[in-house]
Amino acid sequence: MITVKDLHKSFGNLEVLKGISAEVKESEVVCVIGPSGSGKSTFLRCINLLEDITSGEVTIDQDVINDPKTNINQVRSQVGMVFQHFNLFPHKTVLENITIGPIKVKGMKEEEAKEIALKLLEKVGLSDKADAYPESLSGGQKQRAAIARSLAMEPKVMLFDEPTSALDPELVGDVLEVMKDLAREGMTMVVVTHEMGFAREVGDRVLFMDEGIVMEEGDPQQIFENPQNPRTQEFLSKIL
Amino acid sequence: MLDALNSMFEALMDSAYIKSLPFLYEGLKLTLLITIVGLFLGFILGAFTGLGRLSKNGLIRGISTIFVEVVRGTPILVQVLFIYFGISEDLIGVNISGLTAAIIAITINAGAYIAEIVRGAVHSIDKGQYEAGRAVGLTERQTMRYIIWPQAFKRMIPPLGNQFIISLKDTSLFSVIAVGELLYQGRQYYNATFEVFETLVMVCIIYLMITIPTSVILRRIERKLDV
């Protein structure tokens, strides 16, 4: 589904990604872990071209997304992205946040988009918040609304960039529940996270990143119980 | 007692405080016309220039920056003389009316300041908003129009109101090219009647009657927007 080949990304002289290759299969949940500054978020942001790719290749389905001929808006509409700080549109209601994509990008009728949005809100447990503005929601509710906004575009892949890092501890659970539901339904997901419990329970595969490369990858059990790379061992011993 | 009040009232009605009013009223109409039309056109100019200063295209960014710097770095009095005498009369050889020159001057001058207001407001919107818009699949233009601009516009309202007050006062400079705005009418009046003090008091009062309510309303909006 997603193939990344020798991905490099530099900001000026600073090389953040130093050759990453990875693959995500359909319906797979891949969790990316690693210390801060290791390039996890940059890696994720390269997958929907929120960052320009310096060199290498990212393919989603058959489209090489960093090929100038590829229509990037179309690619993005098939890749959902959930941000650490939610990034809901504060001047729009929760419902409008969700319907704007389908209406403006897919040209959907307002009524139809509304219907889809209400179903999604029910799914993430926010049916009663359709007409609320984001500022009146708690962090966990905001993030669930943001997930619904992404799902409205019916993406083939969902990218999560530390979706629970900005949340109060007691609000993390609800968001993780929604993500688990998605995983169970067979959504292809790439999740940058510090929630090792989630990675272990829901992840099909775990990538450990450090210093701009994938240091180790494997199934969660192997990574968490029997890490091979000394850096992985060190990292896990600090946080577990 | 009543007689005394009555004669005071008659004296007032007979003074320049009241008698200048019909004259000044004519001037006020032009002052408002120049300010409102100039600011409207200036906003359009400023919006393009302000967004131009944020453009990825170096040429557009350069032109916008030069425009803003040149206009903000020269006095508006020089600008209007330039437009009225320098360019239209001397360089091109076409006579434009003082009113036209005045409106152009406010448009250009306010345009440059509004460009900075627009640039600042758009720049102040969290980058995550842009990214979220793009991530949903909106094009750059759609993201600008539906996500960034509405949020930025809210933040522009207080400084735009401020610009209204500044431009309103700037129109008094146009008396030098004989545009019959408020101050010009006042000068005409006191040149004929020699009631300089009374006339200028009334000119000030009329300016204040517009500027003070405007700033009160602005402060209320500001508090409401919490900026």
Side-chain angles (χ1 to χ4, degrees):
Chain A
M1 177 123 230
I2 304 177
T3 313
V4 179
K5 271 190 210 147
D6 197 29
L7 173 62
H8 287 257
K9 168 69 190 173
S10 302
F11 294 99
N13 288 327
L14 181 70
E15 194 175 25
V16 178
L17 300 181
K18 301 170 182 167
I20 292 193
S21 296
E23 201 175 330
V24 181
K25 297 189 203 77
E26 192 160 348
S27 295
E28 199 177 25
V29 177
V30 173
C31 292
V32 184
I33 61 170
S36 46
S38 59
K40 319 181 287 286
S41 288
T42 307
F43 167 58
L44 198 69
R45 291 160 60 84
C46 283
I47 298 180
N48 68 350
L49 285 195
L50 283 180
E51 304 289 352
D52 296 326
I53 292 169
T54 307
S55 72
E57 201 178 87
V58 177
T59 314
I60 297 178
D61 273 349
Q62 265 73 45
D63 303 320
V64 179
I65 64 163
N66 54 326
D67 183 331
K69 277 175 265 166
T70 308
N71 179 348
I72 184 57
N73 295 315
Q74 204 176 346
V75 172
R76 282 208 185 99
S77 69
Q78 296 169 8
V79 180
M81 176 101 182
V82 174
F83 300 88
Q84 181 177 356
H85 296 288
F86 333 123
N87 298 353
L88 289 173
F89 307 132
H91 60 303
K92 295 187 175 297
T93 64
V94 169
L95 192 81
E96 289 165 348
N97 262 276
I98 300 172
T99 55
I100 185 168
I103 291 172
K104 300 298 178 196
V105 180
K106 291 186 168 174
M108 200 180 275
K109 291 240 170 57
E110 208 181 315
E111 283 308 306
E112 197 185 343
K114 233 178 187 173
E115 216 171 284
I116 291 172
L118 289 172
K119 269 188 202 144
L120 287 169
L121 281 174
E122 196 183 328
K123 183 181 171 131
V124 300
L126 291 175
S127 295
D128 53 332
K129 299 290 184 190
D131 296 319
Y133 281 89
E135 62 171 7
S136 68
L137 304 185
S138 73
Q141 291 170 331
K142 280 182 190 160
Q143 195 58 297
R144 283 182 280 147
I147 292 172
R149 175 175 69 182
S150 297
L151 290 175
M153 294 301 290
E154 297 178 310
K156 296 176 185 163
V157 189
M158 285 283 279
L159 309 176
F160 294 85
D161 188 5
E162 302 194 24
T164 57
S165 296
L167 299 179
D168 291 337
E170 76 270 22
L171 302 174
V172 169
D174 290 343
V175 172
L176 292 182
E177 269 317 306
V178 169
M179 291 169 65
K180 280 180 202 165
D181 283 343
L182 276 181
R184 258 179 246 129
E185 287 163 19
M187 175 63 79
T188 310
M189 293 161 65
V190 183
V191 186
V192 171
T193 187
H194 293 295
E195 294 292 329
M196 298 304 150
F198 177 85
R200 187 177 239 167
E201 187 189 343
V202 186
D204 294 308
R205 211 141 42 82
V206 174
L207 305 186
F208 172 71
M209 274 182 72
D210 197 9
E211 291 172 1
I213 56 169
V214 177
M215 290 268 182
E216 186 168 359
E217 73 172 282
D219 64 60
Q221 202 174 1
Q222 184 254 307
I223 295 279
F224 287 110
E225 276 154 37
N226 191 18
Q228 303 298 309
N229 189 303
R231 297 303 300 268
T232 321
Q233 291 165 1
E234 192 195 332
F235 174 73
L236 289 174
S237 72
K238 273 186 200 154
I239 60 157
L240 288 181
Chain B
M1 177 70 187
L2 209 65
D3 275 355
L5 268 180
N6 214 4
S7 63
M8 264 175 72
F9 180 73
E10 263 166 27
L12 181 68
M13 290 306 286
D14 201 36
S15 73
Y17 292 114
I18 298 301
K19 285 178 123 182
S20 65
L21 279 181
F23 260 92
L24 298 181
Y25 176 67
E26 290 305 310
L28 175 64
K29 284 198 285 193
L30 264 193
T31 289
L32 287 176
L33 176 76
I34 296 166
T35 310
I36 290 168
V37 175
L39 270 188
F40 176 76
L41 297 175
F43 180 72
I44 295 171
L45 178 65
F48 276 105
T49 318
L51 294 178
R53 291 202 70 184
L54 295 166
S55 168
K56 285 184 206 124
N57 182 322
L59 183 68
I60 294 176
R61 211 173 48 234
I63 293 172
S64 306
T65 307
I66 289 170
F67 169 75
V68 170
E69 292 302 333
V70 167
V71 174
R72 291 204 311 167
T74 51
I76 186 171
L77 186 55
V78 177
Q79 288 162 13
V80 74
L81 291 177
F82 219 88
I83 292 163
Y84 190 57
F85 297 116
I87 294 181
S88 64
E89 227 173 81
D90 195 38
L91 194 69
I92 314 177
V94 183
N95 281 318
I96 57 172
S97 72
L99 180 63
T100 309
I103 290 175
I104 294 174
I106 288 289
T107 300
I108 289 175
N109 191 267
Y113 285 94
I114 291 172
E116 287 299 273
I117 294 172
V118 168
R119 187 180 70 96
V122 169
H123 198 73
S124 75
I125 303 299
D126 178 27
K127 200 169 149 243
Q129 291 291 310
Y130 176 81
E131 292 182 347
R134 298 308 302 272
V136 166
L138 299 175
T139 62
E140 194 169 347
R141 198 176 277 257
Q142 286 175 321
T143 307
M144 205 60 211
R145 178 166 162 202
Y146 299 116
I147 309 300
I148 307 295
W149 186 262
Q151 295 183 58
F153 187 71
K154 247 190 190 172
R155 298 188 187 180
M156 290 175 210
I157 293 171
L160 283 176
N162 212 27
Q163 185 61 45
F164 171 79
I165 293 175
I166 293 170
S167 291
L168 180 90
K169 291 187 295 177
D170 280 347
T171 57
S172 65
L173 295 166
F174 302 144
S175 59
V176 298
I177 54 168
V179 176
E181 46 70 52
L182 182 52
L183 180 62
Y184 182 82
Q185 288 293 99
R187 284 168 64 184
Q188 293 288 90
Y189 186 80
Y190 69 62
N191 281 336
T193 63
F194 303 109
E195 291 165 309
V196 182
F197 179 81
E198 295 88 334
T199 312
L200 286 177
V201 165
M202 292 317 286
V203 168
C204 284
I205 288 176
I206 293 173
Y207 278 120
L208 289 172
M209 276 167 53
I210 302 168
T211 53
I212 290 178
T214 307
S215 54
V216 169
I217 292 169
L218 278 179
R219 235 171 291 146
R220 258 187 225 161
I221 293 175
E222 247 169 87
R223 232 175 296 142
K224 213 170 165 194
L225 294 175
D226 201 20
V227 280

